[in-house]
Amino acid sequence: MLNNVPMVRAGDVLLVCFEKQQTQADTERFEAELRDCLPGVRLAFLEGVTGLAVFRPDDQPTDPDM
């Protein structure tokens, strides 16, 4: 059921994509909430596209059981 959900952990970069431009207040509120829920995860916001992606630096293990 959750095969397509990206798993995020400390050290990853979460790319958050919005279809339309967000207000500064909405972006700051969203970022604060994500930082509380995902400590150690860096965030990047993009506009003009939708979806989520996770970038894991090469030195991070990719095995989800680690």
Side-chain angles (χ1 to χ4, degrees):
M1 179 172 139
L2 298 176
N3 293 350
N4 295 341
V5 176
M7 303 306 287
V8 183
R9 61 178 179 245
D12 290 349
V13 177
L14 176 62
L15 303 174
V16 181
C17 306
F18 297 104
E19 184 176 0
K20 296 184 265 182
Q21 184 174 2
Q22 303 296 301
T23 66
Q24 185 69 27
D26 286 343
T27 300
E28 289 172 0
R29 191 170 38 254
F30 188 63
E31 181 177 7
E33 187 170 328
L34 284 178
R35 289 198 187 283
D36 286 345
C37 296
L38 303 170
V41 173
R42 292 178 292 163
L43 303 171
F45 296 98
L46 302 171
E47 296 171 348
V49 293
T50 57
L52 292 173
V54 177
F55 170 73
R56 182 159 298 130
D58 289 337
D59 60 341
Q60 297 282 326
T62 55
D63 184 346
D65 296 328
M66 296 182 93

